[in-house]
Amino acid sequence: SPIVLDDLLVMTGFDGGKLWMIAYRRSDGSEAWRAEAPAERLESYHPGDGSPAASTPATDGERIVSYFGSCGLFCYDKAGRELWNYPLPTAATLGNFGTGTSPLIEDGVVLLLRDGPSDSQLIALDVKSGAVKWRQPRTSRGGFSTPVIWETAAGKQVAAAGHGRLIGYDLQTGESRWFVERMPASCCASPVIANGDLYFAAWSPG
């Protein structure tokens, strides 16, 4: 999905066999800038169902962060200049559907949930520098869900769905605070917050 930042409409794109961050001017629809996210190899995906540029960007009002399962996280300023990047190996997804998760930004922290057949993890980076703040390994073997930030009496938490469990992590430390079992095999939907409560519709095959 696109996001709005001042006069810009910003989105990821797959054009000419390449991955892009593209910004359009809301005032007249013209292209303001585009920045390539170079990938040595594109992740597997189903052309009839999506593309390797399926993730929604995130912004803190000053920076724009995008994620591509083929190559990792990229941070740009409003003018499209790359500020930092965090390379990641090409993602593997259940059924080879391609990446469905998106990054989010909260209190200066970029969060990315990356579940797959191996090396599943929740990653937290400093939004200004791209430096790793913490990295939490996960046992989830796949999923397409994006986490949500939940403000609780114990502080802000990251609620992340995954194989068999919905887990709450401390935003600042990555420590697991709670979990709910009996989730499906590969969560597709994302949790939501309403009136202080956490809701999750755990649809998934399996």
Side-chain angles (χ1 to χ4, degrees):
S1 298
I3 61 170
V4 173
L5 176 59
D6 298 336
D7 185 47
L8 298 176
L9 190 69
V10 187
M11 65 191 73
T12 55
F14 182 52
D15 184 30
K18 296 182 179 181
L19 301 169
W20 305 92
M21 273 291 294
I22 309 173
Y24 297 94
R25 297 179 182 90
R26 295 170 59 204
S27 54
D28 59 12
S30 62
E31 185 175 305
W33 53 262
R34 69 169 54 199
E36 184 183 356
E40 293 184 4
R41 180 171 65 91
L42 293 177
E43 65 177 326
S44 298
Y45 69 100
H46 293 190
D49 298 317
S51 88
S55 295
T56 300
T59 183
D60 62 356
E62 297 181 31
R63 306 164 193 84
I64 303 163
V65 175
S66 63
Y67 170 62
F68 298 93
S70 302
C71 47
L73 286 157
F74 295 81
C75 181
Y76 306 93
D77 65 13
K78 295 179 184 180
R81 291 183 290 264
E82 185 179 305
L83 302 176
W84 55 261
N85 68 75
Y86 184 75
L88 287 164
T90 305
T93 55
L94 293 174
N96 290 323
F97 279 98
T99 295
T101 190
S102 299
L104 63 153
I105 303 172
E106 184 74 16
D107 292 348
V109 180
V110 179
L111 295 151
L112 178 70
L113 178 65
R114 189 174 155 106
D115 284 352
S118 63
D119 196 30
S120 296
Q121 55 187 311
L122 179 62
I123 307 168
L125 307 178
D126 183 277
V127 71
K128 294 181 180 179
S129 66
V132 176
K133 292 180 68 71
W134 51 263
R135 188 186 293 111
Q136 182 64 251
R138 287 167 53 84
T139 59
S140 180
R141 297 191 295 274
F144 306 91
S145 176
T146 297
V148 68
I149 301 297
W150 191 14
E151 293 196 35
T152 75
K156 291 185 180 180
Q157 298 177 355
V158 187
H163 184 107
R165 287 186 174 187
L166 177 68
I167 304 175
Y169 301 92
D170 185 275
L171 173 62
Q172 295 303 321
T173 67
E175 180 183 353
S176 175
R177 296 295 190 186
W178 53 265
F179 61 85
V180 177
E181 294 188 300
R182 301 181 66 81
M183 294 295 113
S186 180
C187 296
C188 296
S190 299
V192 295
I193 307 295
N195 299 320
D197 293 326
L198 174 69
Y199 294 86
F200 183 60
W203 182 88
S204 171

